Amino acid sequence: MALCVAWCTCAASAQIQLNAGVQYLQCMQKDMSTDFYDLSNTYFFADSVASFNVAKGEGLVNWKRYRMSPRQAFNLNGYWPVRMKMLDFPDAAYDNDPNLRLNIEFISPRAARIRMLTTPIVPKNNDVDDLMFSPEFKARFYENVNGKKVETPSWPSTDNGKSIVYKAENGSIEIQRFPFRIVLKDKKGKILTQTRHIVDNDSTQVKLQPFSFIKRGSDNSRSVNPVFLLSPGERIYGCGESFTSLNKVGQKVHLSVTDPQGPETDGMYKPVPFYFSNRGYGIFMHTSAPVTADFGATYIGAQRLFMADEQIDLFVFFGSPKEILDEYTNVTGKSPMPPLWSFGTWMSRITYFSQEEGLDIAKKLRQHKIPADVIHFDTGWFGVDWQCDYEFAKDRFKDPVGMLKQLAKDGFHTCLWQLPYFTPKNRFFGEIVENNLHIRNAAGGMPVEDAILDFSNPETVSWYQSKITNLLKQGVSTIKCDFGEAAPYNGIYHSGKGGLYEHNLYPLRYNKALWEAVNRQYFGEGIIWARSAWAGSQRYALHWGGDAATNNIGMLGDLRGGLSFGLSGFSFWSHDMGGFVTASPEDIYRRWLPFGFLSSHTRAHGAPPTEPWLISESFTDAFRECANMKYRLMPYVYAQAKDCTERGLPMVRALFVEFPDDQGAWLVEDEYMFGSQILVAPLLESGNSRNVYLPSSGVAGDSSKWIDYQTGKVYNSGYQTIETGKIPAVILVRDGSLIPHAPLAQRTDQIDWNALELREYKADCGSCHGLVFKPGDTALQRVELPVTSK
């Protein structure tokens, strides 16, 4: 690597990008904070409200102009803001301290939108075309309905001359005139968070900048830096599929799509510019530009949102984690209900190379009585491995349509791999370039050697979807949406935007184009298998955790990533059981199995062998045991999935989502709730027991007992050391749960939904309750049965 960097310095120093003061490589995240320490930039600090129309929710904020100057104290230099008189010419054409627009809009009794500009030019409203917003949200608020917008909820206002307060039943937003602040309060009037003003700095040194924006000395471009209070004891969650600790306080989180080569670093395939606090509020940063969210990493009392965007557009939400997730997904969309078969076992490896191999895998799954529903062909189904040309290799797939029909007859759906990058040797390369279907550079050529499909171009989408549809018409059920992280920052896109704003949107456009093709072909039962994502991608389910290492750290990273992803508005998620990179050691793979089967979607994939019968007889038995468990639990899985789609909840769920009043639940990140009633604690190290935290609702009358799913043993809430059963994980059920089970079937289309057993799990509860939702049903059924005996 050192030699590579040295060569780059000599040969390409004029072209290579810099980030955080070092040479930037495309696989690296963008650190947007560094520009806010640049002495050549001009700084504008939000100072006061110049004017405000309370009824319209709009006004002007005065921004004071500063420069950052070095200040020497005791032989050490620090930053010091100095009021600045502009040198711009002609000086009469510009304002030294501009008054710029502020707008507040109310979305629901729990949600509001706050926008602030850094220029007098009001941008064209593109909300109707915004990719991150759900169609339902846009139709309700930003599209004309019979010539009128739908009425927004009432937030009664008061103005005492010093501040404007908008208050709803769940909280309030106060805009202080001077010093300018935006203050979020709960319904009792407690401050949840507030923006920071320069007067908050002490007199000895500037420890951080306040709520501000910069104008770069290099090119006059602008970027914003909203700064909010971070309180003692505060915890922050969300930000996408992050593999670091769930609580983001103390971390600097870079929200820029990258390929981190697995779930073991701070890079993310699926960053999401949304987070929430244990104090009862959430924030959606409505931007596609890179963001560096500094949650107390460089100043322990501040949330510093370094955004590449030139305007501030924040949605704020009030409530519990469930309420905030519901509100956020009302804006960006809820995950659709996947088809039943997708919840079954997906069998794969990298890779099956022939028709015979695929059929043989399907045959052996049935011979070994391992319930399964999907066979996936990864990179090797083309004529040349990794060279996507949308055609089965003629020499190895003699009759692909016949193969697909045979697999379907045996109860298997088929998934195929592909990617949106086309090398110069790909047969479609010339066609893509000739028809301008690719991302271009400033000269109209190509920013990289490969032709990267430009999904902001409707013609590209049509071309791409036609290739996918041809495969679907042959009998393919779904497509793997791999990669999508490498959209060039220096590219020029058909949308008219540059890479700064299109890079993070690329996965969303890619997910959307593929999902729509599959969904259209299968009449509303579309599903994809995607690696990259951005805010809004949850509407195009589903996603998996990338290329995990085949060790304990890879497993831990996947678990953290799945939990964090679920706390970012995504209901459905999967991961490669056993890891991906190398052949999985049997012990790791065995302990990973229950985590895989007790996730919304279950896939065996990675370096061979992944097929259990190629590992050992005892491992095959263990694999079968876990698969049998999930297929018996399929009515529970299906009903819980339906509930998730209605409320924006994740199937793989952090404990505190279900138990927000249990302070201990907020500390746990190596266990999870599978739906609302089953707790899973995977074995992250070798052994047959582990320490587990069992939460309590804290609600009077609720039982605090937990029942072992495998042994029936009853445990009290709190910390317990629990031995695993035959399945190597701790699996517990909440007291008072009614868990629907089905007779075991080898495929989901053979489940007997008329023979469901509503199994009661009871210790101290007065009644048992659960959810039932069957294929063909239109609504969830909530079932409650009184306990007659214990």
Side-chain angles (χ1 to χ4, degrees), residues 261-456:
Q261 303 287 304
E264 301 85 27
T265 73
D266 63 348
M268 283 188 271
Y269 304 104
K270 311 173 191 66
V272 177
F274 161 78
Y275 66 91
F276 64 89
S277 165
N278 64 335
R279 292 173 67 83
Y281 68 91
I283 293 179
F284 168 42
M285 297 167 278
H286 178 228
T287 181
S288 61
V291 176
T292 292
D294 182 332
F295 297 115
T298 56
Y299 184 82
I300 63 173
Q303 308 169 46
R304 310 173 71 185
L305 308 177
F306 300 101
M307 304 169 71
D309 209 321
E310 64 182 23
Q311 59 180 307
I312 295 168
D313 189 356
L314 304 176
F315 287 76
V316 296
F317 311 103
F318 297 85
S320 68
K322 283 186 177 180
E323 290 163 340
I324 290 171
L325 286 170
D326 191 29
E327 291 290 341
Y328 167 67
T329 53
N330 282 341
V331 174
T332 57
K334 290 179 165 57
S335 299
M337 184 67 177
L340 174 63
W341 59 263
S342 72
F343 295 102
T345 309
W346 297 50
M347 181 54 67
S348 175
R349 65 157 64 176
I350 183 165
T351 176
Y352 301 136
F353 282 103
S354 69
Q355 176 173 324
E356 289 73 19
E357 196 172 10
L359 290 171
D360 182 63
I361 294 298
K363 180 181 178 181
K364 284 187 167 60
L365 284 165
R366 297 292 182 240
Q367 286 178 344
H368 288 280
K369 295 191 180 301
I370 295 172
D373 274 78
V374 185
I375 300 294
H376 170 69
F377 291 87
D378 214 62
T379 64
W381 62 281
F382 314 110
V384 178
D385 195 14
W386 292 92
Q387 290 295 313
C388 174
D389 63 1
Y390 307 108
E391 287 190 5
F392 287 95
K394 292 181 173 56
D395 59 333
R396 290 177 279 113
F397 293 85
K398 303 294 187 183
D399 181 13
V401 173
M403 176 193 72
L404 294 168
K405 287 181 178 178
Q406 183 61 51
L407 288 171
K409 180 181 177 182
D410 294 336
F412 290 100
H413 293 257
T414 304
C415 177
L416 300 179
W417 177 92
Q418 52 84 67
L419 82 172
Y421 314 146
F422 294 79
T423 69
K425 293 184 179 180
N426 188 290
R427 71 184 183 91
F428 285 119
F429 181 85
E431 179 182 345
I432 291 168
V433 173
E434 182 178 348
N435 291 290
N436 292 319
L437 304 179
H438 63 293
I439 297 166
R440 290 181 281 177
N441 62 15
M446 295 173 58
V448 294
E449 283 186 277
D450 289 359
I452 301 177
L453 293 180
D454 182 356
F455 289 109
S456 75

Side-chain angles (χ1 to χ4, degrees), residues 692-695 704-706 714-720 722 764:
V692 180
Y693 182 77
L694 305 182
S704 58
K705 297 287 177 51
W706 291 83
V714 177
Y715 295 91
N716 291 316
S717 61
Y719 284 102
Q720 303 280 355
I722 301 177
D764 290 346

Side-chain angles (χ1 to χ4, degrees), residues 368 370 586 590 611-625:
H368 288 280
I370 295 172
E586 183 173 340
R590 189 183 292 261
E611 303 78 13
W613 55 88
L614 297 179
I615 297 174
S616 72
E617 183 176 351
S618 67
F619 183 80
T620 303
D621 292 340
F623 195 105
R624 183 189 305 110
E625 190 74 26

Side-chain angles (χ1 to χ4, degrees), residues 458-773:
E459 292 184 8
T460 303
V461 173
S462 296
W463 181 90
Y464 174 72
Q465 289 183 338
S466 70
K467 305 300 182 188
I468 297 299
T469 300
N470 182 56
L471 293 167
L472 301 174
K473 287 180 176 179
Q474 294 178 56
V476 174
S477 297
T478 188
I479 303 291
K480 182 174 175 178
C481 189
D482 207 358
F483 292 93
E485 302 92 0
Y489 280 108
N490 61 346
I492 304 297
Y493 296 73
H494 184 272
S495 65
K497 297 179 181 179
L500 187 69
Y501 288 89
E502 281 289 346
H503 174 85
N504 285 333
L505 277 184
Y506 192 89
L508 178 55
R509 294 188 187 277
Y510 179 27
N511 294 171
K512 181 177 186 287
L514 181 54
W515 186 88
E516 286 180 344
V518 179
N519 195 58
R520 184 166 54 241
Q521 180 67 25
Y522 287 106
F523 309 103
E525 285 210 333
I527 191 170
I528 61 175
W529 193 273
R531 189 172 79 171
S532 56
W534 185 250
S537 284
Q538 68 270 17
R539 303 194 304 271
Y540 313 114
L542 64 102
H543 298 78
W544 100 99
D547 303 341
T550 51
N551 56 35
N552 291 336
I553 299 304
M555 187 177 177
L556 173 62
D558 260 346
L559 176 55
R560 283 178 172 174
L563 289 171
S564 186
F565 200 45
L567 297 173
S568 306
F570 288 73
S571 294
F572 305 112
W573 173 83
S574 188
H575 46 101
D576 295 340
M577 291 190 297
F580 171 83
V581 180
T582 58
S584 184
E586 183 173 340
D587 173 61
I588 290 283
Y589 199 171
R590 189 183 292 261
R591 289 186 282 111
W592 209 310
L593 289 174
F595 173 34
F597 279 99
L598 294 177
S599 296
S600 74
H601 290 76
T602 302
R603 185 174 77 155
H605 179 69
T610 58
E611 303 78 13
W613 55 88
L614 297 179
I615 297 174
S616 72
E617 183 176 351
S618 67
F619 183 80
T620 303
D621 292 340
F623 195 105
R624 183 189 305 110
E625 190 74 26
C626 290
N628 288 349
M629 172 181 62
K630 185 170 189 181
Y631 276 69
R632 289 190 179 105
L633 278 169
M634 199 61 72
Y636 172 81
V637 173
Y638 200 60
Q640 291 288 327
K642 178 63 176 175
D643 187 45
C644 288
T645 65
E646 294 182 352
R647 299 198 285 158
L649 295 174
M651 283 288 287
V652 172
R653 189 174 305 177
L655 300 191
F656 64 76
V657 175
E658 284 299 319
F659 302 93
D661 296 323
D662 185 325
Q663 295 305 304
W666 291 84
L667 307 177
V668 178
E669 56 184 51
D670 60 356
E671 308 169 23
Y672 63 96
M673 295 297 295
F674 183 48
S676 62
Q677 296 177 304
I678 297 177
L679 183 150
V680 183
L683 287 181
L684 297 172
E685 295 183 279
S686 298
N688 58 7
S689 68
R690 59 159 289 178
N691 189 253
V692 180
Y693 182 77
L694 305 182
S696 174
S697 70
V699 177
D702 280 7
S703 171
S704 58
K705 297 287 177 51
W706 291 83
I707 300 157
D708 194 307
Y709 182 76
Q710 300 188 73
T711 67
K713 187 175 179 180
V714 177
Y715 295 91
N716 291 316
S717 61
Y719 284 102
Q720 303 280 355
T721 298
I722 301 177
E723 291 188 359
T724 62
K726 187 175 182 181
I727 292 173
V730 175
I731 307 169
L732 303 168
V733 184
R734 293 173 74 167
D735 187 16
S737 295
L738 198 64
I739 307 292
H741 286 69
L744 181 62
Q746 292 299 300
R747 40 197 270 195
T748 55
D749 64 352
Q750 292 182 345
I751 293 174
D752 186 353
W753 292 89
N754 294 317
L756 299 191
E757 175 193 359
L758 299 178
R759 194 172 298 176
E760 299 177 14
Y761 291 83
K762 53 194 179 183
D764 290 346
C765 61
S767 62
C768 289
H769 58 89
L771 301 175
V772 175
F773 185 73

